[in-house]
Amino acid sequence: MKPSSLPSTATSADATQRRWIAGIVIVTLLTVAAMIVVLAVGGRPDPAPLRAASTLLDGSWRFHTGDDPRWAAADIDDSGWETMDLTAPPGQHDGDVGLPDYVGGWSAHGHPDYHGYAWYRRRVTVPGTSASWDILGPTLVEDGYALYWNGQLLGGSGRLGPRPRLVGTRPLRFALPADAAGTTGVLAVRTYMLARSGSSAEAGGMHTAPILAPRRTSDALHRAQWWRTIAGYIVDAVEPAAMLAVIALALAFSSRSDRKGFLLFACIALALTAARRLNNAIVSWTDLQDLRTYTWLASVMWVPTMTAWLLAWNRWRLPAWRSIDALAVALGIAGIVGALADLPIWTNISRLGSLALFVVLIARIVRGSPPRILALVTLATVLAALFGSELLDPIGVPGIWFPFNIGVSRTQYIYAISIPLLAVLMVRTLLPRNGQR
């Protein structure tokens, strides 16, 4: 009687797989729908009545590189400073989130390759009404700032000083003194930019102008700015959560899978990828992580992630090749050395060598057993995410799109495809409960 029970067991396993795959498809569609709603809400322009009731402080500002705390005072002579126009062309936005009123930084205004401190100053007339007035800080600054009104510090982003701690610029609001209404004062912005390699031709300082608004209007504008900022990085929060869900799925099914090694290293790769993607949201929404740490992690974390994926896919078709494992680890060490020591040739060797190993693994999978088509498609999405500069840039695939006026990166689109494919692939590795296919 035992042999006759095998088809029934296999049929039960197939039914289990179908139910899980249907669930994965439904959850994916619901998540995509929710993301579309958030992007649509966050990408709406600021309501016209709010903009009409406020003043965008663009136009001509006084600008000076260097640093002197006395430059915050209202009565210093800044007539010898250069001028910088912060007026953005209509419809202009930054190339990441989609922030409106974007202008090039000091590199685009005669100070290429400059980093460190610089100051902006301008006179601002506050209408003489009974309302309390606020300054909405610039929503994009490289990399930190402090804002002063007539020499009084109102606040800022990060901590400036001899050893600056810089964090991601977020929407901030500063209350003007109660006696500011009906007066003209000096708004001074002290900015600081970190030294970095490969700075763009538009880097440095303020990229959006502050906004002067009465309290009720500033409340609404501040909420709109935050919606835009949340929408700009919501995918970087949701996709890591989805990756962690896939890890949980893999761990739950690992005892019944015929590819336990693949699941183990895929979980490690997903955990590293999730941490790297989530960093974007953390640094953009909170002060928990400073920019130096963020930059260091970004330059290093791709290496162990790439190595973990190599070790995972080497175990898709068994037995795993020890030579692939050894080369993957060696290339990973080269990548770490290249990232830490700023040696581009080592980094290139690591990336191109790893890509060559993936080509060998693709050849192995092609000659393997089902579900090889699903495995190849899933691996293709992983490669597109890991090696976008090598595989997608040469064929002209844009690095970012702006659906609903909010930037969604190429990598985010790829992971939106890759994550459910990985989940389905893991479900397909399930064995019947008796351990036979």
Side-chain angles (χ1 to χ4, degrees):
M1 294 297 292
K2 189 173 182 180
S4 64
S5 67
L6 292 179
S8 174
T9 305
T11 301
S12 176
D14 291 342
T16 299
Q17 289 184 11
R18 287 194 295 269
R19 286 194 296 270
W20 275 102
I21 291 171
I24 291 167
V25 171
I26 292 171
V27 171
T28 299
L29 293 176
L30 290 175
T31 303
V32 170
M35 292 301 94
I36 290 174
V37 171
V38 174
L39 293 173
V41 172
R44 293 179 301 185
D46 294 337
L50 295 181
R51 277 303 184 100
S54 59
T55 303
L56 179 65
L57 301 177
D58 56 359
S60 181
W61 286 67
R62 294 291 185 179
F63 175 79
H64 200 301
T65 57
D67 190 38
D68 188 332
R70 294 174 297 179
W71 293 347
D75 57 356
I76 71 159
D77 181 11
D78 58 13
S79 60
W81 291 23
E82 61 187 283
T83 59
M84 185 176 293
D85 189 358
L86 297 187
T87 303
Q92 187 78 357
H93 61 77
D94 79 298
D96 184 19
V97 173
L99 300 175
D101 306 314
Y102 175 84
V103 295
W106 63 54
S107 292
H109 292 84
H111 299 276
D113 303 320
Y114 177 76
H115 65 271
Y117 281 102
W119 285 71
Y120 299 77
R121 287 169 53 93
R122 66 166 288 169
R123 299 187 70 79
V124 176
T125 299
V126 183
T129 67
S130 59
S132 298
W133 288 84
D134 294 332
I135 297 290
L136 296 173
T139 53
L140 182 56
V141 177
E142 290 180 297
D143 288 297
Y145 72 90
L147 190 144
Y148 299 83
W149 176 260
N150 288 336
Q152 176 185 345
L153 175 64
L154 301 184
S157 174
R159 183 186 68 242
L160 304 187
R163 300 180 63 183
R165 181 182 186 271
L166 288 308
V167 296
T169 310
R170 306 187 310 281
L172 296 173
R173 182 177 50 173
F174 311 101
L176 288 179
D179 59 356
T183 68
T184 296
V186 172
L187 185 66
V189 184
R190 181 193 190 196
T191 65
Y192 183 89
M193 178 182 170
L194 289 166
R196 57 171 65 91
S197 59
S199 295
S200 74
E202 295 191 339
M206 289 200 297
H207 290 284
T208 59
I211 296 175
L212 172 69
R215 179 65 45 80
R216 186 169 297 179
T217 300
S218 74
D219 287 342
L221 280 175
H222 192 236
R223 285 194 297 271
Q225 289 180 344
W226 259 113
W227 266 109
R228 189 173 294 117
T229 302
I230 290 171
Y233 296 97
I234 189 65
V235 180
D236 282 318
V238 171
E239 287 185 343
M243 292 176 189
L244 295 179
V246 174
I247 292 173
L249 180 70
L251 295 176
F253 286 163
S254 60
S255 62
R256 292 177 54 195
S257 173
D258 61 353
R259 291 180 172 87
K260 295 180 176 61
F262 171 78
L263 294 185
L264 172 63
F265 284 103
C267 286
I268 295 172
L270 283 170
L272 291 169
T273 305
R276 173 66 187 91
R277 303 307 302 178
L278 188 59
N279 273 352
N280 293 333
I282 290 173
V283 81
S284 301
W285 294 346
T286 75
D287 288 348
L288 295 176
Q289 187 177 118
D290 65 272
L291 291 180
R292 284 190 174 91
T293 302
Y294 170 80
T295 302
W296 185 87
L297 289 173
S299 68
V300 171
M301 285 185 68
W302 64 269
V303 183
T305 304
M306 181 178 63
T307 303
W309 278 122
L310 276 168
L311 297 176
W313 287 104
N314 190 33
R315 282 153 179 78
W316 179 257
R317 185 182 175 191
L318 299 174
W321 286 2
R322 293 183 179 180
S323 58
I324 295 288
D325 286 349
L327 288 170
V329 172
L331 289 169
I333 293 172
I336 290 289
V337 172
L340 296 179
D342 195 20
L343 298 172
I345 187 169
W346 285 62
T347 300
N348 291 334
I349 289 172
S350 176
R351 291 184 65 84
L352 295 179
S354 297
L355 184 56
L357 290 184
F358 275 113
V359 172
V360 175
L361 295 177
I362 289 172
R364 291 195 71 205
I365 294 172
V366 167
R367 296 195 298 268
S369 59
R372 58 177 172 268
I373 300 300
L374 178 59
L376 288 170
V377 173
T378 306
L379 176 53
T381 62
V382 172
L383 291 180
L386 289 175
F387 299 99
S389 58
E390 291 86 358
L391 301 177
L392 301 180
D393 284 353
I395 60 176
V397 179
I400 194 165
W401 286 267
F402 290 87
F404 310 104
N405 302 313
I406 294 293
V408 179
S409 72
R410 177 176 66 195
T411 305
Q412 290 171 330
Y413 282 108
I414 294 169
Y415 281 129
I417 300 170
S418 180
I419 295 169
L421 283 177
L422 276 165
V424 171
L425 186 64
M426 290 176 176
V427 170
R428 289 293 307 276
T429 69
L430 282 177
L431 291 169
R433 290 193 179 276
N434 62 2
Q436 302 178 32
R437 285 204 178 273

